[in-house]
Amino acid sequence: MMMSGGGGGGGVVSMCVVGAGTRGRARLAVISRTAGVACEVVVEPDEAAAAIVRRDFPDVQVFASLARLAAHLAQTERKQRTQKGRVSSEQGRMLRIDGIWVCTGVRSRADLIAEATKMKIAKYIYCEAPIALSVHDVQTCYDVRPGPSC
């Protein structure tokens, strides 16, 4: 199954799906059929679920955590700056993520939203409802968001 648009450029909205369980794979399927949207990355710590994504969506990169994804993005950005405009065939294009869709169980959603916000991986974060089971956990998500100037 090819992801529509591919490549995160030319007006394509590039998404990262966090969680490759039933909900996450359903989101991947929807994204794959949606013009103008591509799923570039999945974050999934469970190797069995990650293997299913690799099998069913071979163009999608899979990372075990948001921290590993953030490290990869930082390394890719450093390489791009070092190359000073020269892009070799092995370097390829720079991975860009416009939005994150959190599709995990409710107990991990607020922490993942806060982590992704702090790491500034993407400008937009979408989440399955409910975001959390307590007002305190929902407030945590709002407390880490950028100010109104962002």
Side-chain angles (χ1 to χ4, degrees):
M1 212 180 282
M2 296 292 288
M3 302 313 297
S4 78
V12 174
V13 176
S14 178
M15 295 295 297
C16 167
V17 172
V18 178
T22 303
R23 285 184 211 101
R25 288 194 308 271
R27 296 297 172 236
L28 281 166
V30 169
I31 291 168
S32 72
R33 296 187 306 266
T34 304
V37 181
C39 182
E40 299 277 342
V41 176
V42 169
V43 174
E44 176 54 61
D46 180 72
E47 188 49 46
I52 293 170
V53 171
R54 287 185 190 100
R55 180 194 70 206
D56 294 347
F57 303 94
D59 296 334
V60 174
Q61 294 182 55
V62 181
F63 293 87
S65 68
L66 285 171
R68 288 187 181 173
L69 170 58
H72 174 79
L73 291 170
Q75 179 182 15
T76 303
E77 188 176 323
R78 280 191 303 274
K79 274 186 183 176
Q80 288 283 1
R81 280 195 303 250
T82 303
Q83 291 294 320
K84 296 181 183 168
R86 295 175 293 159
V87 178
S88 67
S89 59
E90 81 176 52
Q91 187 179 9
R93 63 175 169 71
M94 187 169 162
L95 181 61
R96 176 182 60 85
I97 300 172
D98 298 311
I100 295 173
W101 201 329
V102 179
C103 302
T104 62
V106 69
R107 286 176 170 56
S108 63
R109 291 177 189 160
D111 289 340
L112 289 166
I113 291 168
E115 183 180 3
T117 302
K118 288 176 189 174
M119 292 180 181
K120 299 178 182 178
I121 293 173
K123 186 171 182 178
Y124 302 102
I125 300 175
Y126 307 92
C127 185
E128 300 291 312
I131 291 174
L133 296 175
S134 73
V135 173
H136 176 267
D137 289 345
V138 173
Q139 188 62 47
T140 300
C141 296
Y142 284 98
D143 290 344
V144 297
R145 77 185 190 282
S149 64
C150 293

